[in-house]
Amino acid sequence: PLRLRLQAYLEDFHSFCSKVGGSTAEVMSDILELEADRRAINITLNSLNEMSIIKVRDSLYPTIGRLYPNSTGISEKKGNAYVSKMAQAIELDAVRNAVDAFPEYKKALEGLSAATSGPGIEEGEKPLEKEFDELEVKLNTLAFEQQFHYGMYYAYVKLKEQEIRNIVWIADCISQDQKSEIDRYVVHIF
């Protein structure tokens, strides 16, 4: 139920921003679509081995984003039900194929391998979450290049959240004497 409420929030907020129109709609649409796509990819990756969740994935995917409807929208019939490309994915390569048309998502998934999609991340690999955080920071900084819209307030708050995550990560690394790990998850802003 919480996941469905978050999905509804995202879709309702996107709808509201579209109704506001102008630069607000343009800026916020890109930011919210990225968040929707991030959620769809994360839902799929986190449930690759969960056969019970595969059956309900389509209901968990947001109906906005660049992946919708091509990858997360209902696209073909399997048995008695219609399912999306992402919902059918049972391995990492199927997820990569579903996002192949979107270079930034394809790049984010390149660092993942079947062995590293779990908690262990190889040296030099960029975690998927950091890739998405960098995309989000980029869109949020672009919000400041236009004038007279409400999207910059949302972007400001999101950039502050990222700044706080960076500070917490740096503090954790210092307190655990892992200074060499600081750059692994820090996302540079501006």
Side-chain angles (χ1 to χ4, degrees):
L2 177 62
R3 176 71 67 182
L4 294 177
R5 283 188 221 148
L6 288 174
Q7 173 186 339
Y9 153 77
L10 196 60
E11 292 167 357
D12 289 345
F13 193 34
H14 185 270
S15 174
F16 171 76
C17 291
S18 296
K19 288 177 187 171
V20 170
S23 296
T24 299
E26 183 182 330
V27 168
M28 290 302 297
S29 177
D30 290 342
I31 294 170
L32 295 174
E33 287 176 359
L34 173 67
E35 182 60 31
D37 292 343
R38 174 197 295 212
R39 288 182 187 182
I41 291 170
N42 281 336
I43 287 168
T44 306
L45 292 176
N46 290 332
S47 64
L48 284 177
N49 299 324
E50 299 291 330
M51 295 310 278
S52 61
I53 295 178
I54 289 176
K55 297 174 184 172
V56 296
R57 273 191 201 155
D58 277 326
S59 65
L60 299 175
Y61 294 145
T63 57
I64 60 171
R66 295 181 63 206
L67 294 177
Y68 182 84
N70 295 335
S71 298
T72 59
I74 306 301
S75 58
E76 58 184 81
K77 190 170 186 170
K78 287 282 187 177
N80 292 335
Y82 287 91
V83 292
S84 66
K85 292 177 187 175
M86 291 278 278
Q88 296 174 38
I90 56 173
E91 60 185 27
L92 187 57
D93 287 335
V95 178
R96 282 190 180 116
N97 289 337
V99 301
D100 209 25
F102 307 96
E104 60 276 3
Y105 303 151
K106 184 179 177 182
K107 180 180 177 276
L109 290 175
E110 281 177 358
L112 286 182
S113 65
T116 62
S117 60
I121 295 172
E122 297 294 321
E123 187 66 36
E125 285 187 359
K126 209 184 257 191
L128 180 66
E129 200 59 36
K130 183 173 180 182
E131 289 280 356
F132 277 114
D133 286 344
E134 287 175 349
L135 287 171
E136 183 182 23
V137 164
K138 180 180 175 186
L139 287 176
N140 286 325
T141 55
L142 288 176
F144 292 97
E145 292 187 3
Q146 296 187 28
Q147 299 176 359
F148 308 114
H149 65 91
Y150 297 111
M152 69 180 140
Y153 298 108
Y154 181 84
Y156 175 79
V157 170
K158 293 306 250 179
L159 288 171
K160 278 296 179 186
E161 287 176 359
Q162 183 60 52
E163 183 179 6
I164 291 167
R165 284 193 298 271
N166 285 347
I167 292 169
V168 168
W169 174 254
I170 291 168
D172 286 345
C173 287
I174 291 171
S175 71
Q176 296 172 10
D177 199 29
Q178 297 290 323
K179 294 177 185 168
S180 63
E181 297 295 314
I182 287 176
D183 283 334
R184 178 166 274 192
Y185 289 101
V186 169
V187 177
H188 299 284
I189 302 170
F190 293 107

